[in-house]
């Protein structure tokens, strides 16, 4: 017999739960800002010299130092940095003088589009593959899934990207080349499509420009497929191990003994429990794609956050690098939070 | 092509099936025939306002969208030719310049080009006071006095300078992007918060150039559209589309597939890899940057003329240029890069270990050791190792101090280095830019920090300082040229600088592309002469 607690304390527990989630979010963000701040100060790059350049006089150097607040004590500099960041001011790019947040806002949709499509592919391919391997351990299918997964794990993505481009674009002509659209479409794009989300697939679809939409698909399919492959490698391996674990549980045996059809045992009963840890896996993989597509974006000339950070890194533009990193970090934290919430929704025990 | 509704269940299989079935049909394998498509790394663009732009990619746009009073001929830069002004003259006093505007020219808005626009443009550049403003400030123009120094009346623009300068110095500086003429009415109509239209001009254009800026997306690309009825004659292509493609391998793939017409950021490896492809060709050109060794004269050894000469003969200039620097560097041994007024292209020094050894013995310096600061970039490390090797053969021990660029620059500026491997790029299209850096040092005392290169190496150029000052005031262009030649000759024989290379650029393009000028060491790329 269970005694239900009074409603007010239930609400209290919920609020406490929300409070602790928000607190951990705040602590994580604080830590993130602290770490990026320290990295920014530890790297042997003088931000003043990077801004004023080779030709400046001592007076100009000193003026810039003061303007950047570098004459303040370190802890004070941190609080200025953190305070600005909380208000959405991630500083100015040294290279272009543009507010970092604006550049990031422009680049992020391209990355989001790529990572989302890749994750969808990774889940759609990875989960069935993992289940297939788990239900027939030791079979040819199992070995195949593991081999394909291992390759996705161990090959450098940029290498796979180049090979993929050479083969599918260079030789076979099956897909579009680097960039988000063919040059001809790219030129028209700004004038014929209203930017709504910044994601080309969605914006062209909204505008009813199916020719551009298909062209955009032909461009995104290879980088997304590639990242999806890497994501699939991870998801299929985790699915396999979760599923194997679940299938050895007593309730599964009970269900089978009762004569429940096998597909129902796997896809309904076991999957319900596999889904819980899998959410975290997918969220992690998604977050990894948001930050880990740096090299892929460079190879595919994809104007996303990854190539923005790479370009900035190559010219020692630390505010841009750190600002981009903070945004990726925030996305990471939010995804984690989201997966936690979803977790609680799916798994009654976690409520 | 419309999406088949039955394919909406977006499974991987469905997606890839869609891909495979539709891809070949939607791919436009070739670039549009009336559009020049270029791939380059353009993430350096700060602004497309001609009075603010001061980086390679930004100035390329400015050069095609705006014109100046005087210009450089893209096909053979070096000598100013008429731009928006049809003639110019300098008064007896040497400080008053007048420019007569060409009649009948219009901006892309349709407004006529007047002397008033020209005066406004130069005043605006000085008042905005962005990075390149110093090029105009050199003539004594400040935000306070520029309205009286730069004036317009009728079809004539009058420029006053604070003292006598070589007319060629002024003309050369007027070919720079910062001296571009903008449409006063249009720019001021788009002014916000007293910025003289600066924010608006970052993404729009208001010039007389062969092209009009249609769109610009930072880190992504820009689109230029040709103007009909341009005063130079219509451009051969209707539009120019620049794509930001930072990866060289990616550029090469795009070029070989025909998805772009010009690739500007290829490595020597890519260039070599394309040999034998009849669809593409490579065009070599030089840029403005020069690479040099410099030695700090706080170390007495580097005041010893014989020792300095020994080192000049201990560098394998040609060997490096022929091997690992292939296409990236061209041997060059004077501080003015090829293309500048008075630049010297002769190469008096070559690797001669025996001569270096003999000179070293004459110098009386026993077992010399050089600590060479080198930036941790691949080509510089390769150069440094070659120098270490050949100096070693001549009996000079080289210890490499490899570090991050900004940190080394700090040491260099503070005169804490012993020797250093460095590069220098000119700031504006006149020889004074490099001459003042390499051969002028008004105050050699510690803490003076003039920022000049002579100062950084504690080098007192002696009479060269005064000669450089005289050269920038010399009215006769031919005499002025001779003066720079003499300064460079003395400089390379006596100074603690060893100039080794001028940077080389290789642009690869489809074989049907003709007339693509990169601007060389002085100017920026010109698109209006390109045919394809």
């Amino acid at each position: 017999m269970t005694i239900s607690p009074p409603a007010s304390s239930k609400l209290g527990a919920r609020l406490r739960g929300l409070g602790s989630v928000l607190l951990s979010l705040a602590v994580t963000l604080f830590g993130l800002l602290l770490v990026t701040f320290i990295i920014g100060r530890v790297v042997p790059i003088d931000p003043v010299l990077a801004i004023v350049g080779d030709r400046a006089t001592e007076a100009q150097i000193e003026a810039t130092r003061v303007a950047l607040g570098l004459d303040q004590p370190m802890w004070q500099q941190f609080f200025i940095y953190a305070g600005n960041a909380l208000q959405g001011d991630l500083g100015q790019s040294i290279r272009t003088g543009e507010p970092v947040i604006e550049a990031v806002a422009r680049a992020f949709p391209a990355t989001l589009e790529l990572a989302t499509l890749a994750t969808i592919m990774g889940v759609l391919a990875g989960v069935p593959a993992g289940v297939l391997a788990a239900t027939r351990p030791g079979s040819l299918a199992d070995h195949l899934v593991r081999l394909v997964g291992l390759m996705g794990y161990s090959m450098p993505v940029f290498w796979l990207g180049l090979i993929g481009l050479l083969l599918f674009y260079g030789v076979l002509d099956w897909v579009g080349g680097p960039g988000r659209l063919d040059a001809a479409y790219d030129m028209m794009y700004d004038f014929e499509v209203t930017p709504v989300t910044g994601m080309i697939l969605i914006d062209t679809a909204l505008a009813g420009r199916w020719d551009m939409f298909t062209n955009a698909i032909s461009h995104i399919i290879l980088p997304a497929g590639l990242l999806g492959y890497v994501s699939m490698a991870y998801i299929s391996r985790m699915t396999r191990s979760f599923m194997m674990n679940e299938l050895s549980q007593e309730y599964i045996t009970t269900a089978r003994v009762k004569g429940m059809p096998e597909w129902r045992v796997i896809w309904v009963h076991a999957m319900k429990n596999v889904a819980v840890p899998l959410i975290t896996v997918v969220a992690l993989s998604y977050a990894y794609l948001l930050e880990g597509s740096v090299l892929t974006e460079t190879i595919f000339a994809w104007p996303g956050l990854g190539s923005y950070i790479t370009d900035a890194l190559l010219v020692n533009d630390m505010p841009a690098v750190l600002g981009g990193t903070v945004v990726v970090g925030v996305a990471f934290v939010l995804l984690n939070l989201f997966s936690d919430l979803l977790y609680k929704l799916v798994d009654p025990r976690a409520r | 092509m419309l999406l088949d509704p039955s394919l909406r269940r977006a499974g991987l299989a469905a997606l890839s099936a869609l891909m495979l079935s539709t891809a070949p049909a939607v791919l436009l394998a070739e670039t549009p025939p009336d559009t020049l498509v270029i791939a380059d790394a353009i993430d350096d663009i700060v602004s497309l306002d001609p009075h603010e732009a001061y980086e390679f990619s930004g100035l390329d746009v400015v050069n095609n969208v705006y014109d100046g009073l005087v210009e450089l001929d893209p096909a053979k830069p070096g000598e100013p030719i008429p731009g928006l002004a049809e003639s110019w003259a300098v008064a007896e006093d040497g400080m008053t310049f007048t420019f007569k505007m060409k009649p009948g020219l219009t901006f892309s808005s349709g407004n006529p080009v007047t002397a008033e626009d020209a005066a406004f443009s130069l005043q605006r550049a000085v008042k905005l006071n962005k990075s390149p403003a110093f090029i105009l400030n050199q003539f004594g123009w400040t935000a306070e006095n520029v309205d009286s120094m730069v004036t317009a009346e009728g079809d004539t623009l009058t420029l006053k300078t604070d003292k006598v300068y070589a007319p060629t110095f002024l003309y050369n500086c007027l070919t720079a992007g910062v001296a571009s003429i903008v449409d006063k009415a249009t720019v001021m109509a788009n002014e916000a918060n007293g910025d003289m239209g600066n924010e608006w001009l970052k993404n729009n254009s208001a010039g007389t150039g062969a092209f009009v800026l249609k769109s610009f997306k930072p880190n992504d690309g820009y689109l230029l559209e040709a103007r009909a009825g341009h005063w130079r004659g219509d451009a051969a292509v209707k539009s120019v589309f620049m794509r930001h493609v930072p990866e060289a391998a990616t550029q090469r793939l795009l070029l070989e597939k025909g998805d772009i017409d010009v690739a500007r950021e290829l490595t020597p490896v890519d260039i070599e890899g394309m040999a034998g492809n009849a669809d593409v060709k490579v065009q070599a050109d030089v840029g403005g940057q020069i690479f040099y060794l410099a030695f700090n004269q706080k170390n007495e050894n580097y005041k010893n003329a014989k020792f300095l000469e020994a080192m000049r003969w201990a560098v394998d200039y040609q060997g490096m240029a022929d091997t690992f620097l292939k296409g990236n560097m061209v041997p060059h041994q004077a501080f003015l890069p090829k293309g500048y007024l008075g630049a010297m292209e002769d190469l008096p020094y070559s690797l001669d270990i025996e001569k270096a050894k003999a000179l070293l013995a004459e110098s009386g310096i026993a077992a010399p050791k050089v600590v060479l600061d080198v930036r941790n970039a691949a080509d510089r490390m390769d150069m440094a190792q070659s120098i270490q090797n050949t100096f070693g053969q001549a009996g000079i021990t080289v210890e490499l101090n490899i570090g991050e660029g900004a940190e080394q620059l700090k040491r260099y500026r503070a005169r804490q280095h012993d020797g250093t491997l460095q590069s220098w790029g000119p700031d504006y299209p006149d020889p004074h830019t490099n001459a003042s850096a390499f051969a002028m040092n008004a105050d050699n005392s510690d803490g003076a920090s003039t920022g000049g290169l002579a100062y950084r190496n504690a080098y007192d150029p002696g009479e060269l300082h005064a000669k450089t000052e005289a050269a920038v005031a010399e009215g006769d262009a031919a005499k002025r040229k001779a003066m720079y030649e003499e300064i460079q000759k003395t400089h390379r024989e006596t100074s603690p600088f060893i100039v080794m290379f001028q940077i080389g650029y290789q642009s690869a393009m489809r074989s049907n592309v003709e007339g693509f000028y990169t601007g060389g060491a002085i100017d920026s790329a010109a698109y209006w002469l390109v045919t394809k």
Side-chain angles (χ1 to χ4, degrees), chain A residues 44-46 49 53-58 61 95-96 98 106 121 124-125 162 165-166 169-170 173-176 178-187 190-191 210-211 213-215 217-218 221 298-299 301 303 308 311 316, chain B residues 1-3 10-12 15 18-20 22-23 26-28 32 35 37 43-46 214-215 217-220 223 239 241 243-247 249-250 253-254 257 259 404 406-407 409-410 413 424-427 449 456:
Chain A
I45 293 167
D46 185 343
L49 215 50
D54 204 350
R55 321 282 212 260
T57 60
E58 287 300 328
I61 291 179
R95 178 180 40 155
T96 64
E98 183 186 26
R106 196 176 48 237
M121 289 178 168
L124 289 180
L162 270 180
L165 262 181
L166 258 178
Y169 164 68
D173 233 346
W174 285 0
V175 302
R180 293 170 88 182
L181 288 166
D182 280 357
Y185 281 122
D186 213 351
M187 282 166 53
D190 283 338
F191 306 98
W210 299 107
D211 54 335
F213 178 82
T214 1
N215 188 257
I217 291 258
S218 83
I221 196 80
T298 309
I299 297 291
Y308 177 70
D311 287 348
N316 292 340
Chain B
M1 155 147 204
L2 289 177
L3 258 184
L12 178 74
L15 261 171
L18 169 83
M19 262 296 312
L20 296 184
T22 64
V26 297
L27 287 177
L28 307 174
T35 300
V37 184
D43 52 313
D44 59 332
I45 292 181
V46 171
K214 290 292 285 181
S215 78
K217 280 183 283 182
N219 298 309
D220 193 356
L223 176 64
S239 37
F241 185 56
R243 308 181 83 174
H244 173 57
V245 181
E247 239 303 301
T250 309
L253 200 54
L254 282 165
K257 285 287 288 182
D259 277 348
E404 200 275 322
E407 216 36 49
L409 191 55
K410 219 172 184 171
R413 297 179 63 109
W424 184 260
D427 288 315
S449 184
R456 289 184 197 174

Side-chain angles (χ1 to χ4, degrees), chain B residues 251-479:
Chain B
Q251 282 195 10
R252 178 182 161 191
L253 200 54
L254 282 165
L255 181 70
E256 293 200 284
K257 285 287 288 182
D259 277 348
I260 56 172
D261 297 309
V262 180
R264 296 199 63 188
E265 285 277 313
L266 296 184
T267 63
V269 177
D270 292 311
I271 299 276
E272 227 174 286
M274 289 191 308
N277 184 343
D279 295 334
V280 294
K281 60 182 179 185
V282 174
Q283 180 180 311
D285 205 349
V286 283
Q289 225 178 353
I290 56 173
F291 284 74
Y292 64 92
L293 292 171
F295 302 96
N296 188 347
Q297 289 198 330
K298 291 200 156 186
N299 179 340
E300 289 294 324
N301 279 0
Y302 303 130
K303 289 182 178 168
N304 185 318
K306 293 285 179 199
F307 180 47
L308 287 175
E309 199 186 347
M311 292 197 285
R312 293 186 216 283
W313 289 101
V315 176
D316 191 7
Y317 310 88
Q318 199 60 50
M320 285 191 260
D322 286 344
T323 53
F324 56 83
L325 295 177
K326 202 167 177 123
N328 274 349
M329 300 283 162
V330 180
H332 188 78
Q333 294 176 350
F335 65 65
L336 285 178
K338 181 184 163 205
Y340 272 74
L341 177 76
M344 298 171 79
E345 293 177 35
D346 62 329
L347 301 168
Y349 299 102
S350 56
L351 180 67
D352 188 337
I353 297 291
E354 289 316 311
K355 201 162 182 173
K357 272 185 182 164
L359 284 160
L360 183 61
E362 280 178 56
S363 77
I365 298 173
K369 187 178 150 189
V370 176
V371 181
L372 194 66
D373 282 10
V374 184
R375 210 175 275 195
N376 54 0
D379 56 345
R380 291 179 190 238
M381 304 264 284
D382 288 343
M383 278 188 227
Q385 277 164 11
S386 164
I387 289 160
Q388 187 177 36
N389 171 25
T390 51
F391 271 38
Q393 291 173 35
I396 305 164
T397 312
V398 176
E399 185 188 303
L400 299 182
N401 175 29
I402 294 156
E404 200 275 322
E407 216 36 49
Q408 293 208 332
L409 191 55
K410 219 172 184 171
R411 275 162 57 80
Y412 190 27
R413 297 179 63 109
R415 316 211 272 193
Q416 288 164 347
H417 64 293
D418 182 47
T420 183
L421 170 61
Q422 291 285 345
S423 70
W424 184 260
D427 288 315
Y428 48 87
D430 188 81
H432 187 61
T433 179
N434 275 16
S436 58
F438 280 91
M440 286 183 87
N441 186 6
D443 182 355
N444 200 19
S445 59
D446 280 335
S449 184
T450 56
L453 300 179
Y455 170 81
R456 289 184 197 174
N457 291 289
Y459 164 56
D460 179 358
E463 56 165 0
L464 287 185
H465 180 90
K467 281 188 175 172
T468 308
E469 221 160 28
V472 76
E474 175 53 54
D476 183 323
K479 253 193 218 158

